[in-house]
Amino acid sequence: MKRLFLAVIALSLPIIAQEKPTFTQAKMKQATVYFTGAALTHTASANIPKGTSELVIKNVANTLSEETIRVLAPSNVTVLSAQFTNQYMEEYDAERYAPSLKRVQDSLTLLDNQLKKCRNERHSKEKTVSFLDGNNALQGQQDGLILSDIPKVMDYYTAKRIELLNSIDEIKAKEEKLSAAITKLNAKLDTNLSKQEHLSNGKIILQLMSPVAQKADFQVSYISTQATWYPFYELRGEKLTEPIHLLYKGQIAQNTGVDWKGVKLALSSGNPNKSNQFPILKTWFVQLGHPRDFSNARMELRSNAAPLADLSRKKIAKDEVVHMEESTMAHYTALSENQLNISFDIDTPYDILSNGKVHSISLQELQLKAIYKYYTAPRVDKEVYLVAAIEDYSKYNLLPGEANIVFEGLYVGKTYIDPN
């Protein structure tokens, strides 16, 4: 029976045992920011074992579209699956900090325990000294003491008190050393934690298969909605005979949970979340007749027209209403707006923290040839406006946005540029 039991245990071990996941941290490489979202690209390296394994890539965006995850791996590494999670997972908690940080935390626990013991010992000896100083027991028994015993009792109390006070001083010195060591370790722990740059909760979990154990480099990209940008302009005019100086800016903000540091940026007017299925126009049925309220017309048809005519007219009216709802002008306006896709590639690396604050980036400086004229409409407004007309504005790739106006060195207000 003993042999059989051991055999069962031995057979069950390979089934229960599982390889621990491999952990690595993603490094931000590039960000393409859209009006409503951003395509982020990270790099990561890890030592992966032979066979199938699990790789957890930490510090990606807190929220992302899982279906947009793309993974580039070495040619001999097969990516079996890619999943995203931002939930706490107990099996990954042990890897939250590096081994060096765990050693610091273990040392802190040990020193804290020693400090508590020292304080307990010191408090006990201080209580004993207080008891000796009170000397209540001796005073209550003085009548029973022989005169020759008093010096011995006094010597005992004096020696004992000195011994206790010296011991308390030593304990205090030891407490100071322990406190200093704890302070130093806490500072080291805070420094190491700050180097992790506020790691996000986002993790991409890859199931891999490799023919050999190797160090592999990966590139991971995905789309997150927690970023945006919008254009902003500054228009400067000095004289009516000179061109307008236009400063083209981009206002960027992101709250992905990952700090962008030294990242190559690109700004695009496209919409990554928009469906690219082209529309199909359906037939509209037009009926000639006098405009009238539909409900009244239906009642009149029922009372005056033949049953067959009534049915056919109601069918046409129903079809007309349905097709009008499916082919609204708002739909085509949105589609037309997204047909223009302008992208600005910025060569200078930028730092944009994940705090939702707006960062202003200069994109272009243009000289716009303008024709000035005065405009007024006294019936509506008694003011007179100086208007600058820009020819061939489409060649400047302007996007809708607000603009500050500075004329002859003075700020005179805002306007809105709408190239559409």
Side-chain angles (χ1 to χ4, degrees), residues 157-175:
Y157 274 92
T158 301
K160 192 63 178 177
R161 191 175 187 278
I162 293 174
E163 178 187 346
L164 290 171
L165 291 177
N166 290 337
S167 178
I168 290 172
D169 290 338
E170 291 177 0
I171 294 173
K172 286 182 177 179
K174 188 175 181 180
E175 287 180 12

Side-chain angles (χ1 to χ4, degrees), residues 40 60-63 200 224 226-227 254-260 354:
L40 307 182
V60 299
N62 285 330
T63 58
S200 70
S224 174
Q226 304 302 309
Q254 66 101 355
N255 196 23
T256 61
V258 181
D259 291 339
W260 302 355
S354 178

Side-chain angles (χ1 to χ4, degrees), residues 351-367:
D351 291 352
I352 300 179
L353 301 182
S354 178
N355 53 16
K357 294 183 179 180
V358 176
H359 297 254
S360 182
I361 297 177
S362 297
L363 302 178
Q364 280 185 318
E365 291 190 36
L366 302 172
Q367 298 293 330

Side-chain angles (χ1 to χ4, degrees), residues 100-145:
S100 58
L101 294 182
K102 189 176 185 303
R103 288 195 294 270
V104 174
Q105 291 172 330
D106 292 342
S107 299
L108 279 171
T109 301
L110 180 63
L111 292 179
D112 282 333
N113 291 334
Q114 292 180 1
L115 184 59
K116 289 177 182 178
K117 291 179 180 179
C118 287
R119 287 172 177 170
N120 291 337
E121 184 179 359
R122 176 171 57 84
H123 288 158
S124 298
K125 293 188 176 183
E126 286 174 346
K127 288 290 185 181
T128 304
V129 172
S130 298
F131 174 77
L132 292 177
D133 290 342
N135 203 18
N136 294 326
L138 181 61
Q139 290 178 0
Q141 299 178 7
Q142 279 182 355
D143 295 339
L145 289 175

Side-chain angles (χ1 to χ4, degrees), residues 44-324:
S45 297
N47 294 314
I48 59 175
K50 179 181 178 180
T52 58
S53 62
E54 183 177 86
L55 175 64
V56 180
I57 301 177
K58 302 187 292 183
N59 201 33
V60 299
N62 285 330
T63 58
L64 59 85
S65 301
E66 190 169 355
E67 64 274 11
T68 64
I69 297 176
R70 299 292 179 269
V71 182
L72 296 180
S75 57
N76 64 340
V77 176
T78 302
V79 180
L80 302 176
S81 68
Q83 294 177 308
F84 167 76
T85 182
N86 56 11
Q87 302 298 319
Y88 172 78
M89 303 182 74
E90 186 176 356
E91 60 269 32
Y92 299 154
D93 188 56
E95 299 290 340
R96 183 172 178 82
Y97 301 114
S100 58
L101 294 182
K102 189 176 185 303
R103 288 195 294 270
V104 174
Q105 291 172 330
D106 292 342
S107 299
L108 279 171
T109 301
L110 180 63
L111 292 179
D112 282 333
N113 291 334
Q114 292 180 1
L115 184 59
K116 289 177 182 178
K117 291 179 180 179
C118 287
R119 287 172 177 170
N120 291 337
E121 184 179 359
R122 176 171 57 84
H123 288 158
S124 298
K125 293 188 176 183
E126 286 174 346
K127 288 290 185 181
T128 304
V129 172
S130 298
F131 174 77
L132 292 177
D133 290 342
N135 203 18
N136 294 326
L138 181 61
Q139 290 178 0
Q141 299 178 7
Q142 279 182 355
D143 295 339
L145 289 175
I146 301 175
L147 185 62
S148 60
D149 292 335
I150 293 177
K152 296 179 182 179
V153 173
M154 294 299 296
D155 289 342
Y156 169 78
Y157 274 92
T158 301
K160 192 63 178 177
R161 191 175 187 278
I162 293 174
E163 178 187 346
L164 290 171
L165 291 177
N166 290 337
S167 178
I168 290 172
D169 290 338
E170 291 177 0
I171 294 173
K172 286 182 177 179
K174 188 175 181 180
E175 287 180 12
E176 291 178 359
K177 290 182 180 179
L178 288 173
S179 298
I182 290 173
T183 301
K184 186 176 180 180
L185 286 177
N186 278 323
K188 184 178 181 181
L189 184 64
D190 292 340
T191 301
N192 289 333
L193 287 175
S194 64
K195 291 179 180 178
Q196 295 187 2
E197 300 176 357
H198 308 290
L199 293 181
S200 70
N201 295 326
K203 295 178 282 289
I204 291 179
I205 305 170
L206 303 180
Q207 300 294 332
L208 306 173
M209 185 168 64
S210 174
V212 294
Q214 60 178 308
K215 182 179 181 180
D217 296 326
F218 299 88
Q219 180 173 299
V220 179
S221 61
Y222 54 85
I223 292 177
S224 174
T225 59
Q226 304 302 309
T228 184
W229 86 279
Y230 56 90
F232 189 82
Y233 304 94
E234 185 175 294
L235 299 171
R236 289 183 174 271
E238 296 299 331
K239 298 180 181 178
L240 299 183
T241 57
E242 295 181 358
I244 294 177
H245 180 77
L246 181 143
L247 182 59
Y248 203 145
K249 297 181 179 181
Q251 307 282 72
I252 305 175
Q254 66 101 355
N255 196 23
T256 61
V258 181
D259 291 339
W260 302 355
K261 293 198 172 182
V263 172
K264 183 179 179 182
L265 284 175
L267 307 183
S268 175
S269 63
N271 184 356
N273 298 315
K274 181 174 178 60
S275 172
N276 289 318
Q277 179 65 38
F278 62 85
I280 299 176
L281 293 177
K282 296 183 179 181
T283 307
W284 286 15
F285 294 93
V286 180
Q287 176 186 355
L288 298 177
H290 299 289
R292 64 183 65 188
D293 181 74
F294 180 77
S295 60
N296 294 335
R298 183 169 58 184
M299 292 177 64
E300 187 175 332
L301 284 170
R302 284 182 175 176
S303 59
N304 299 329
L308 182 59
D310 185 13
L311 291 173
S312 63
R313 285 176 180 269
K314 284 196 293 184
K315 183 178 186 304
I316 292 173
K318 181 179 179 182
D319 290 343
E320 183 179 358
V321 172
V322 171
H323 289 300
M324 286 290 286

Side-chain angles (χ1 to χ4, degrees), residues 313-358:
R313 285 176 180 269
K314 284 196 293 184
K315 183 178 186 304
I316 292 173
K318 181 179 179 182
D319 290 343
E320 183 179 358
V321 172
V322 171
H323 289 300
M324 286 290 286
E325 289 179 351
E326 290 180 351
S327 304
T328 60
M329 292 302 295
H331 174 74
Y332 292 106
T333 301
L335 179 64
S336 174
E337 182 179 355
N338 282 279
Q339 288 176 351
L340 184 62
N341 190 344
I342 302 170
S343 180
F344 297 95
D345 295 324
I346 303 171
D347 294 331
T348 304
Y350 270 87
D351 291 352
I352 300 179
L353 301 182
S354 178
N355 53 16
K357 294 183 179 180
V358 176

